Structure formats: structure tokens, C-alpha cells
Amino acid sequence: MTVQGSDMRMDAPLSLRDVLPKIVQELEAGQTLDRSVFAGSVFDELAALFGLNDAEIAALALLAGAALDRRCAAALSHSGGSLSVGDLMASLPRLDWESLSSGSVLRSWFLIRVDRALNLQDSAVSIDPRILDWCLGLATPDARLGPYLRPLAQAGILSDPHTKVADGCAERLADRVSRGGTGHSVIVGEGPATRDAVAARIAQALTMEPVGVDPAFFELPVVERSALERILARETVLARVMPVFALEVFSAREASRLRTLEMPTLILADEMAHRVALPPGAE
């Protein structure tokens, strides 16, 4: 799936706190939420970023409201306990089961959490904490990524030849991202300071902020790494960050890892191992 990230939110939309009173008012009046309730808000922005339909974005708005306001939670929960998938669907007749399945946009992008019970209808459902923070205007990265994120060194000044290399790389990477939603560039040689500066220029050209990711990320168990890769991909959409991995040697093992990264990525390395075949979408 291709997602299109926004710029740096120059014209800040209405936050969750701005639209929460309207959400509560509609619920207490027994009304079904429609798009006009959160028009021009962060929920409209989420719909554009992740391709959500009206029912899915209304579901996110209700879950966000329930997380912040007891009146909202009480109006939604029929049992008086944790909000369930059944409660959410009863409040939104247009929300279908497919929108809450494991492969749905809401769940595959970790926009919501579903704690599976014996059946989906009875499963507890909530908004993901990172999405709730984002709706409140908080820029803190997802806490699950915290152990692996590293600040990059201050970018230095590039020579004209290196600038041309960076600009050409950025143009090709932007083209791959626009066509497939992802793309990777491997930058080998020169010194660490030059590579960092090239990475910073490439990220800037794509209106993104470079952020270092510990290579230990690649060594995580498959299931854990797969989940974190998706969360990292979500962060590239929400916060316009570009992951940068700094390695001593770029080997076939790292090349194989790129196949599962669904986001623009930069790899910086001192050298490349002999006969490493890059995956599709990488240069």
C-alpha cells in the first residue's frame, strides 16, 4: 500500500481537544458521527495520510474521544467495561468487519489496538498511544522505537561533486517512492561526516528529517522486527522522518533485510561486501 506523507504541518489542523466537545455532544445526543464533526481536524489529516474511509476515520475519532473523556467512553460501551469491537460497530453502522480485520489499514498501520478475545466482536479495542499523542499535537516518537533511534551528527558542508551525487540520489529516490511508496539508497565510501552530510541533503530534498537507527534493529527476532518495521514506517508518514542505518560493511544479509522495509531508507557504510545484489527499489 502506498501512503503519502504530509509536509511539516505548516497549517496546523484542529487538534483532538478542539473537536472533542463536538464528538461528546453528538454521542450524548444519540447521533452517528459524520465527517462534518471533525472537518479540518487531525482526523481529516489521518484520512489523507493512510487512505481511510469515512467510517474508519470516525472509528478513530471515537476511540480517541473514549481515551480522553469518560462521557465518550460511557456513551460507547454497552457493558460498562472496556470498549469492544461490537460497541464500536454498534455506534458506527457503516463500519464493516473488514475495516477491523488483522489486515485492515487501521490495524496493519498500528492506528488501533485490538486485544483478541474468543471472537472479534468481544475483543477490546483502543486507539494506539502514538496516534493519540499525534492527535494531541505531541511529536514524541513511538516509545517502542526509542531503544533503536540515534541522533545523527551535525551535517557538514558538501563539495560540489558530493552535492551533485546527493541531489541525483534524492531525485531517483523520490521517483521510486512516488511510484511504489518505498525506496532505498546505499551510500558507500568517503568518510562518516561526508556520508552523514549526503544523507541529510537527500532527506531534506524529500522534505524529511534524517534519524539514525541502530543496526541492532536488523538483528531482532523476525516477529518483533516485522512489527517494529511497520511502526517505523508509520513514523515516516506521521513525522516525516527518514531512517538512516550506519554500518561498517554492507553485506548480503543487510541487503536481504531491505526487502521488508516499506519506507524510504538510507544505508551508510564504510564498504560493501563483494557481489552484493541489491533488492528491487534500491541503488
Side-chain angles (χ1 to χ4, degrees):
M1 175 184 173
T2 300
V3 294
Q4 183 63 49
S6 68
D7 289 333
M8 302 299 183
R9 304 181 86 182
M10 298 299 290
D11 298 319
L14 297 173
S15 76
L16 168 57
R17 293 195 187 280
D18 294 323
V19 298
L20 184 57
K22 289 166 54 175
I23 293 174
V24 174
Q25 181 181 358
E26 292 292 303
L27 282 176
E28 291 185 331
Q31 301 296 317
T32 299
L33 281 191
D34 61 42
R35 193 66 175 262
S36 64
V37 173
F38 36 82
S41 74
V42 289
F43 298 107
D44 265 352
E45 192 172 359
L46 283 172
L49 290 174
F50 294 98
L52 302 173
N53 62 37
D54 286 358
E56 290 166 343
I57 201 62
L60 264 185
L62 287 179
L63 292 175
L68 287 189
D69 194 296
R70 290 181 180 179
R71 293 171 300 169
C72 188
L76 289 172
S77 177
H78 294 88
S79 65
S82 298
L83 187 63
S84 71
V85 167
D87 292 331
L88 189 62
M89 295 193 71
S91 300
L92 294 170
R94 290 177 296 167
L95 185 65
D96 56 35
W97 290 106
E98 186 177 348
S99 292
L100 297 170
S101 67
S102 58
S104 67
V105 175
L106 288 173
R107 291 179 64 181
S108 66
W109 280 103
F110 290 86
L111 305 182
I112 65 172
R113 290 180 170 183
V114 175
D115 298 326
R116 192 64 188 261
L118 291 177
N119 59 72
L120 181 58
Q121 180 169 333
D122 294 332
S123 299
V125 61
S126 60
I127 190 169
D128 186 90
R130 171 64 176 113
I131 300 301
L132 182 61
D133 284 349
W134 190 87
C135 290
L136 292 169
L138 303 177
T140 306
D142 193 294
R144 289 163 287 191
L145 296 173
Y148 306 101
L149 300 184
R150 302 286 183 269
L152 291 181
Q154 186 69 31
I157 299 175
L158 290 174
S159 65
D160 287 343
H162 289 141
T163 298
K164 291 180 180 179
V165 169
D167 291 347
C169 183
E171 184 176 347
R172 294 188 296 274
L173 182 58
D175 179 63
R176 293 196 299 276
V177 170
S178 68
R179 288 186 285 110
T182 187
H184 317 295
S185 293
V186 182
I187 302 166
V188 180
E190 298 297 340
T194 299
R195 292 197 297 269
D196 284 351
V198 168
R201 187 172 180 90
I202 292 172
Q204 182 181 30
L206 274 70
T207 66
M208 301 179 81
E209 183 73 23
V211 59
V213 184
D214 192 324
F217 187 92
F218 285 137
E219 307 305 324
L220 292 169
V222 174
V223 174
E224 182 180 359
R225 190 182 74 243
S226 296
L228 285 177
E229 283 176 358
R230 197 63 170 167
I231 292 170
L232 183 59
R234 185 188 66 182
E235 206 65 29
T236 68
V237 178
L238 291 175
R240 295 294 297 168
V241 296
M242 178 176 286
V244 180
F245 293 87
L247 310 170
E248 291 184 3
V249 179
F250 181 72
S251 66
R253 181 178 60 180
E254 284 76 32
S256 67
R257 298 285 194 265
L258 291 182
R259 295 179 183 275
T260 61
L261 295 179
E262 299 183 59
M263 68 201 90
T265 308
L266 299 177
I267 304 290
L268 314 181
D270 293 329
E271 58 181 299
M272 180 181 288
H274 187 53
R275 292 184 177 178
V276 174
L278 294 176
E283 70 164 354

